[in-house]
Amino acid sequence: MTDPIPALLDALRAALGPAGLLTDPADTAGYVEDWRRLYRGRTPAVVRPADAAQVAETIRLCAAAGVPVVPQGGNTSMVGGATPDAGGGQLVLSLARLNRVRAVDPRDLTMTVEAGVTLKAAQEAAAAAGCLLGLSIGSEGSAQIGGVLATNAGGNNTVRYGNARDLVLGLEVVLADGQVWNGLRRLRKDNTGYALRQLFVGSEGTLGVITAAVLKLVRAPKETAVALCAVASAEAALDLFGRFQAHDPGAVMAFEYMSGTGLGFVLKHIPGASLPLAAPADHYVLVELATPRPDAGLRAGLETVLESALEDGLVLDAAIAESEAQRAALWRLREEHSEAQKREGASVKNDVSVPVSAVPGFIAAATEACAALMPGIRAVPFGHLGDGNIHFNLEQPEGADPAWFLAQDHAIMDTVNAVVRRFDGSFSAEHGVGRLKPYMMPEWRGGAELDAMRRIKAALDPAGILNPGKVLP
Ligand code: 2HG
Ligand code: ZN
């Protein structure tokens, strides 16, 4: 059989023009390796269509040639979901040139954006219209809407607005045969058969390629209050969360937990980072309150809750942001966790969730289980306590060989997952399955659930050209 790729690349070049195709390895290098550097693949080309019609043409040509495509947005996957394999037979389909904000409507509280718009650019466009796009993730400067939706990203505001899928009213999707489904409806009620858009959200590019979306907005906050608290324990952190929820239901915008170990790595590795508290602690909380109501007295409420929690010994110390710069500095202590952990050495990530009430028990049990597995291993639990999603990351023992540590990733993940199971949790809360975790699917989602997923995949992508090797084992 002749190699279909040279003729395919000629056809793509003719269809998309010279700007639509990168083939020089120097140009494609940034597209074949994931952010965590867990996977380095090979590709004959990165296809860069300019609009949905060109995406459809790309898919038609690839389908006809039987050549698979790996859709890619900002390439910020934590599970290798957007990188090609090492075989050199998969094209990367970059959505980056579909970067137009098509509309922002403050009356309908919706925005229509193309897949390649970064989350940050979408947030800014919403803000310029007096609105808020209620999704915030550490990688928002690079992550693109298409990838954010394809992976059903979560992040810091899930406690308030849900995950990416809760923000989607409509989608435009290119199907595996090159048809374009225009489902860019802006309706709050539309009860007309299967909710197709929810099938594509979270499918990680295995069922179709998202090219644009209609997203829900809310009114922009008028007042925001942020505090970093040293707390007595993870139980105290949970208790504090309950107090904020009880004091002003609906005001909590983010409620993030950090361990002393993780914050210690940030202070050690991130230039300019400093702790605005009298002394380091073993447990911290970052809380953000926000409201679109004018004169809501948010700051006073924050102080009331913190004062009583200080009296009761839940909170040991707290710093309240007095300016936008201070707010950003507090958030930086949280958002630089991934980068700081990377600089400290090799780490194994466990993006897991448990019921919110089970978070403290889970952290204690998982820490114990990992210590029993590997002496000197350093647990770095942090994340979205308000929605039960903890990044139970493990850092290599000090002085250990990083390659030796990473080679044991399955043993480490399986140890954590065994604890997750005891607490009725999930092995992937917000990062998805990608190519790191398909092996976990039979155990966690086997039987009727995985069977139904396989049948959906076979129905929508019978030739298996969309992001092969991801999600399904
Ligand atoms: C976050 O919450 C991201 O910062 C990344 O989901 C978490 O690095 C991680 O494990
Ligand atoms: Zn996270």
Side-chain angles (χ1 to χ4, degrees), residues 4-191:
I5 289 187
L8 173 63
L9 296 190
D10 286 345
L12 284 167
R13 206 172 281 112
L16 309 186
L21 210 61
L22 306 175
T23 50
D24 186 332
D27 296 331
T28 61
Y31 296 83
V32 297
E33 193 176 28
D34 66 307
W35 181 84
R36 293 180 64 189
R37 305 209 186 97
L38 293 181
Y39 304 102
R40 176 170 302 157
R42 291 195 305 127
T43 190
V46 175
V47 192
R48 300 178 81 247
D51 54 28
Q54 288 196 355
V55 174
E57 186 60 17
T58 300
I59 297 292
R60 266 195 296 276
L61 290 168
C62 290
V67 173
V69 293
V70 179
Q72 190 180 99
N75 197 14
T76 60
S77 175
M78 292 286 186
V79 289
T83 33
D85 69 12
Q90 303 179 340
L91 299 192
V92 174
L93 172 56
S94 165
L95 282 304
R97 288 176 71 209
L98 282 73
N99 61 1
R100 283 156 294 243
V101 175
R102 293 192 194 164
V104 183
D105 190 329
R107 286 177 315 163
D108 284 337
L109 288 170
T110 60
M111 73 191 307
T112 306
V113 285
E114 295 184 350
V117 173
T118 63
L119 176 53
K120 194 165 192 349
Q123 290 166 345
E124 285 168 358
C131 299
L132 174 82
L133 173 59
L135 189 74
S136 164
I137 61 178
S139 56
E140 62 201 21
S142 321
Q144 298 168 8
I145 292 296
V148 160
L149 297 182
T151 59
N152 183 29
N156 304 331
N157 299 151
T158 298
V159 62
R160 175 91 161 241
Y161 303 114
N163 297 303
R165 74 165 69 258
D166 299 299
L167 302 174
V168 180
L169 291 176
L171 282 187
E172 179 185 77
V173 181
V174 174
L175 306 181
D177 60 2
Q179 286 190 81
V180 181
W181 170 48
N182 184 343
L184 289 174
R185 296 189 280 265
R186 295 177 294 140
L187 306 173
R188 301 283 166 164
K189 282 189 169 175
D190 174 24
N191 205 1

Side-chain angles (χ1 to χ4, degrees), residues 137-138 154-156 256 334-335 351 382-384 389 391 430-431:
I137 61 178
N156 304 331
E256 298 282 312
R334 162 63 183 87
E335 292 302 73
D351 163 44
F382 67 94
H384 320 293
N389 172 197
H391 300 298
E430 60 172 4
H431 295 170

